[in-house]
Structures are given as C-alpha cells and as structure tokens.
Amino acid sequence: MEENNNVNVMPRIGEKAPEFVAETTQGKINFPKDYKGSWSILFSHPADFTPVCTSEFMTFASMEDKFEEANCKLVGLSVDGLYSHIAWLRTIKEKIEYKGMKDIEVKFPLIEDITMEVATKYGMMMPGESNTKAVRAVFFVDPKGIIRAIIYYPLSLGRNFDELYRALIAMQTADEFGIATPADWRPGDDVIVSPAGSCGAAKERMDDKELDCKDWFFCTKKLDKDKVLKAILKKK
Ligand code: BEZ
C-alpha cells in the first residue's frame, strides 16, 4: 500500500474512496473493490474494549440485517490488532447485555490497522482529539465506489445509528427518484424538487398541480412511502 503519513489528508464527498487491502476479523478485504455493486459504510472507532465503542458495535450489529436489506455492507476499523478485535467481539457476544441487546455477534469485518495506514488515508486520525486513536468517522460509499457522505464524531460521543440508516435511505431515494430530501426526511414525507434553471421553468413549476411550491425556489411533491421502500429495499 502507498504510504501517506499526512494526517491532514482527507478524502472528500464526490471522490473515489481511497483503495486499500487490509486484514479483518472476516479475512482479507480489498476496499472498495470487493464492495462494488453495493453501498458500504466504512466507520472507525477509537479502541476495542471501551464502553462507548461497545455500545456502538452492539447497536450496529443488531441493525446489520436492516442495512443489508438496503444493499449496504458495514466495515469497521480501529488502530487495534486482530487478536484484540477477536477477543473484544467474543467478550461482547458472551458477556455484554445492553439495552435489551444480548448474545450479539458482529458478523461484519473489523479492520486491524495497527500501522494507522488506512485511518490516515481516510482522515480518521485527528491529533487535536487523539494521537493514538481514530475518531468516530463514518464514510458512506456508493455502489460505484464514490464517497457520498462523511460524518465525524469525537471520542466521547456515541453515534446515532438510526440517523446513519436514515441518511443511507435518503441518499438512495435521491438517486432513484432524482429528488432531494428536506430536513429530518423519512420515507413517506414530501420530497424536494430541485430549483428550476430558468424563469420560464420556474413559472411552469408554480403552476404544476403535482407540486406544492412555497416560492419559485422551494417546491415539494409527494412520494409514497411504499414506492420508496419498494424501490430501495431488497425483497426478503
Ligand atoms: C469509548 O468508546 O468509551 C471511548 C473510547 C475512547 C475515548 C473515550 C471513550
């Protein structure tokens, strides 16, 4: 793998996800190549055997089928080694019960990154926060290997996994129906029709009975929840 020790380098939205080959709890992976054709969420956590990370892994693992149904695979990473990962995940399964979750098996791959090569490549190391631990970064990568969204949280803040799922479904809906999604959108809510490119087109939109235009730049339309879910979720 090409060395890049610059912690200031970060991939951006719209760019190809940086490539790497890594050892994981599920064997070697070649990212994003192995994930072509499906969405993936590559996320980092600061360290194994820590409480916030444990709560996050249990939550994410318990939602894995839901993400799978939305054609999205999960890939975790921390700068710990493989044996630490394996021991931690075994402890979670055997001993930790939290918020009704127990006997949780983490089936998605967890990358070992002792050299911090992958974490550095993805801008997961933030020295102002920690020199030795990755922050809680989340990269959404689409089926073509393009980074579509990035979310960062500090060490002390556990992520909201419902929001990660919501963001995934919203991006897939935007792609499928050529629309945008407003604040706090969920399937079944009205969607945003992107602003018209000319005055004539804007006027036409204002008169369009299918649209609800608050003004020339702000039009919404109905998008049926079942239509969204049918287009996005794999049939069980
Ligand atoms: C945690 O996961 O509990 C944690 C990890 C690193 C720093 C602070 C908290």
Side-chain angles (χ1 to χ4, degrees), residues 1 23-24 26 32 39 46 54 63-65 92 109 123 128 131 165 178 194 196 201-202 209 220 223 235:
M1 192 173 354
E23 204 57 67
T24 83
Q26 305 289 329
W39 284 74
T54 299
M63 293 170 76
E64 190 179 2
D65 286 352
I92 287 177
N131 280 317
Y165 183 72
S194 52
K209 295 277 177 292
T220 62
L223 183 55
K235 287 178 193 69

Side-chain angles (χ1 to χ4, degrees), residues 46-47 49-54 56 133 136 155-156:
F49 291 102
T50 50
V52 178
C53 301
T54 299
E56 289 194 316
K133 294 175 173 64
R136 301 180 199 280
L155 301 188
S156 63

